[in-house]
Amino acid sequence: MTTILAAGDHFVAPELFARELDAEIGSGHTITRLHLPWPLTPFGPVGEVTEASGDERTLLDALDGVQVCVTQMAPLTRKVLEGSPELRLVVVGRGGPVNVNLEAARERGVQVCNTPGRNAAATAEYTLGLMLAAMRRIPETSAALAEGRWAGEFYTYDNCGPGVDGSTVGLIGCGAVGSRVARALTALGARVLVYDPYADPAVLREAGTPVGELADLLRRSDVVSLHARLTPETRGLLGARELALLPEGAVVVNCARGALLDEDALCDALESGRLAAAGLDVFAVEPPPPDSRLRSAPRLVMTPHLAGANRAVAHNAARIAAAEVGRFLRGEPPAHRVA
């Protein structure tokens, strides 16, 4: 009999993992549950892993006698892996298993799988919504009405903001999310430029007009949207020098990772009026500290890392994870193994 830990949270609940596991593998296995505090408590580093929720001691206790763990955020650190000798499989219900020490997992013969694509559609939808909110100044006008003021000045030429139709939108990164954003923008009448040195050239051509140099994309874009994965090479990808290449009145949107963008440089560009607006769903530090310049920057729309969150995503993550557990128990090759 296999014992499986469903280490869920307030988004993908342990009960949701358990329900999908029951549907996939049936009876004959024991499913235990652990409820982690994310997202009511922000994720952060635990030991040597990042973007994790909970603590090592609680997870070690929960993994006692467990062979399989499905989770989004549990901190699978070296300490936890070394203290869980029966563990053989970890399935992380997210695209990047940054909460798992992959090297330690390999050393101990623990397979690690992820659930790629489970929130691509949701993130693409949200990116488009945040882009439109920033460009069309929707939060500001809504706030004015809530305060009892009919803000007619937002209908003036100087204040009404740009639109997507007829604009050139540059996408930095053209994976599962970026390619969906490209299709939506094209349908709305935008000219789409794409920069991704790691993508298949055919994928780039299907999404829009490929651009070989980041600087070229920036110079030509009325709107720039970030969709790159955070790596040592992409950290600080858009700084003061890059933002200065954008045309006057451009818009920047980031629903990828906060550290891709120099936030001080963004605030400088907004405060000087060089940028018309910006929309951020992710931040270098989450939540932004009380003294962050972002809190007072003009024409900035901010949301608390919500792009990948809708109900379909939670079900997708649990279903893909359960299918991976099913393959493991049947002795079949994993579909999404990362270690």
Side-chain angles (χ1 to χ4, degrees), residues 159-228:
N159 291 316
C160 62
V164 169
D165 183 30
S167 292
T168 299
V169 182
L171 304 181
I172 301 174
C174 193
V177 176
S179 58
R180 282 173 168 82
V181 172
R183 291 197 295 271
L185 289 168
T186 300
L188 288 174
R191 296 180 294 271
V192 178
L193 308 179
V194 286
Y195 168 77
D196 190 333
Y198 306 103
D200 184 331
V203 172
L204 297 182
R205 289 192 296 272
E206 184 177 349
T209 301
V211 178
E213 298 293 334
L214 177 59
D216 186 25
L217 177 137
L218 295 172
R219 292 189 185 99
R220 297 165 60 185
S221 297
D222 304 306
V223 184
V224 167
S225 185
L226 286 159
H227 301 285

Side-chain angles (χ1 to χ4, degrees), residues 7 18 21 42 56 91 124 139 143 147 149 167 172 183 203 250 261 314 330 335:
L21 286 164
E56 291 172 309
V91 185
E147 294 167 358
R149 185 170 64 85
S167 292
I172 301 174
R183 291 197 295 271
V203 172
L261 176 64
R330 292 189 297 269

